């Protein structure tokens, strides 16, 4: 049974517009939530995180929103740039800092 | 500062062969992790080591063993490789008091 789902396998956005990536989870036990970005043939790179006690965290062009009642996490990228084209994973963290990852969303930002 | 390094980058094994994937980090992190990533799936935790001298099973430990050699190094061993272990393997480390994990570049393993 999947604890975390990224329902959109892919997303295409025009350069300069907003990219919104979504993640849904089923269990309320997680203490923090993270987003990772992954380029082909590289390891995932940490982007931004949010604690379960907050509903928003912003870092430059990246903002993460957490809706605990809906068990929903989203990442907003504004403005989107071609270099943002990658696979984005949400990850949920809890006991012993083990992470549970979603399957990823492939973002393509085109000029 | 190299971060997390993994060797080898690529490996092809025959069914039944054994091998050890090596991981090292130079960030003085206490915790280290091994994940596998299969097509269309997220990363899944195989084993982790919360601190030097301790190891614990993750979500998919069957067919694997690990050794936390010292604070820097955490190896993953396949004793008798099976085609189902064809995957990309990532090692990660985490500093105490922080939530984010830092990942190595991965090892692409094919078992024929």
């Amino acid at each position: 049974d999947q604890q975390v789902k990224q329902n959109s396998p892919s997303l295409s956005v025009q350069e300069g517009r907003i990219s919104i990536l979504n993640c849904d989870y089923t269990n309320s036990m997680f203490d923090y939530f993270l987003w990772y970005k992954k380029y082909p043939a590289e390891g995932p790179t940490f982007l931004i995180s949010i604690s379960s006690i907050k509903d928003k965290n912003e870092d430059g062009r990246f903002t993460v929103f957490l809706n605990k009642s809906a068990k929903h996490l989203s990442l907003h990228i504004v403005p989107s740039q071609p270099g943002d084209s990658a696979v984005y994973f949400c990850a949920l963290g809890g006991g012993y800092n083990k992470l549970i990852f979603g399957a990823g969303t492939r973002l393509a930002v085109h000029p | 500062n190299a971060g997390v390094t993994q060797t080898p980058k690529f490996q092809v094994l025959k069914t039944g062969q054994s091998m050890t994937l090596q991981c090292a980090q130079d960030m003085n992190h206490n915790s280290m992790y091994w994940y596998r990533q299969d097509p269309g799936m997220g990363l899944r935790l195989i084993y982790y080591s919360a601190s030097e001298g301790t190891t614990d099973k993750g979500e998919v430990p069957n067919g694997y063993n690990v050794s936390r050699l010292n604070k820097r190094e955490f190896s993953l061993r396949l004793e008798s490789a099976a085609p189902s272990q064809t995957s990309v393997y990532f090692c990660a480390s985490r500093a105490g008091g922080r939530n984010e994990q830092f990942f190595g570049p991965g090892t692409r393993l094919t078992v024929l």
Side-chain angles (χ1 to χ4, degrees), chain B residues 2-7 22-26 32 72-74 91:
Chain B
V4 179
T5 57
Q6 293 183 236
T7 55
Q22 306 286 354
C23 173
Q25 51 92 9
D26 62 2
M32 297 185 74
R72 289 187 64 248
E73 298 172 289
F74 188 37
C91 177

Side-chain angles (χ1 to χ4, degrees), chain A residues 68-81:
Chain A
K68 288 186 289 294
S69 60
K71 297 188 179 65
H72 180 79
L73 181 74
S74 64
L75 175 69
H76 292 206
I77 307 174
V78 180
S80 301
Q81 300 173 352

Side-chain angles (χ1 to χ4, degrees), chain B residues 38-57:
Chain B
D38 300 301
M41 301 182 71
L43 283 72
R44 291 183 293 167
L45 183 65
I46 305 171
Y47 270 93
Y48 67 101
S49 171
S51 61
E52 188 179 353
T54 69
T55 61
D56 284 288
K57 295 178 181 178

Side-chain angles (χ1 to χ4, degrees), chain B residues 24-42:
Chain B
Q25 51 92 9
D26 62 2
M27 297 175 283
N28 201 34
H29 288 173
N30 288 325
S31 302
M32 297 185 74
Y33 307 80
W34 275 106
Y35 293 88
R36 61 179 286 174
Q37 186 192 11
D38 300 301
M41 301 182 71

Side-chain angles (χ1 to χ4, degrees), chain B residues 63-81:
Chain B
Y64 305 95
N65 285 300
V66 290
S67 295
R68 183 73 183 265
L69 304 170
N70 46 56
K71 191 170 186 178
R72 289 187 64 248
E73 298 172 289
F74 188 37
S75 63
L76 178 72
R77 182 158 179 86
L78 288 70
E79 290 291 352
S80 179

Side-chain angles (χ1 to χ4, degrees), chain A residues 32 36 43 89 97-99 102, chain B residues 33 37 40 42 48 94 99 101 104:
Chain A
Y32 55 93
Y36 281 84
F89 294 96
N97 295 100
K98 293 186 286 186
L99 296 180
Chain B
Y33 307 80
Q37 186 192 11
Y48 67 101
R94 184 187 63 83
N99 293 329
Q101 296 178 15

Side-chain angles (χ1 to χ4, degrees), chain A residues 31-103:
Chain A
D31 298 322
Y32 55 93
F33 306 81
L34 311 93
W35 284 95
Y36 281 84
K37 173 180 180 179
K38 186 180 180 305
Y39 293 119
E42 294 184 10
T45 302
F46 170 71
L47 264 180
I48 191 169
S49 65
I50 187 168
S51 163
S52 61
I53 62 172
K54 295 190 174 182
D55 54 20
K56 178 182 174 181
N57 187 27
E58 195 170 350
D59 184 2
R61 296 186 298 114
F62 302 92
T63 302
V64 56
F65 295 93
L66 176 62
N67 183 333
K68 288 186 289 294
S69 60
K71 297 188 179 65
H72 180 79
L73 181 74
S74 64
L75 175 69
H76 292 206
I77 307 174
V78 180
S80 301
Q81 300 173 352
D84 296 329
S85 297
V87 177
Y88 289 78
F89 294 96
C90 63
L92 283 55
Y96 300 104
N97 295 100
K98 293 186 286 186
L99 296 180
I100 297 177
F101 284 81

Side-chain angles (χ1 to χ4, degrees), chain B residues 5-13 19-23 34 76 88-90 105-110:
Chain B
T5 57
Q6 293 183 236
T7 55
K9 287 193 182 344
F10 301 95
Q11 184 71 49
V12 178
L13 292 178
M19 79 160 295
T20 299
L21 282 66
Q22 306 286 354
C23 173
W34 275 106
L76 178 72
V88 181
Y89 291 85
F90 291 100
T107 294
R108 184 173 294 275
L109 175 67
T110 301

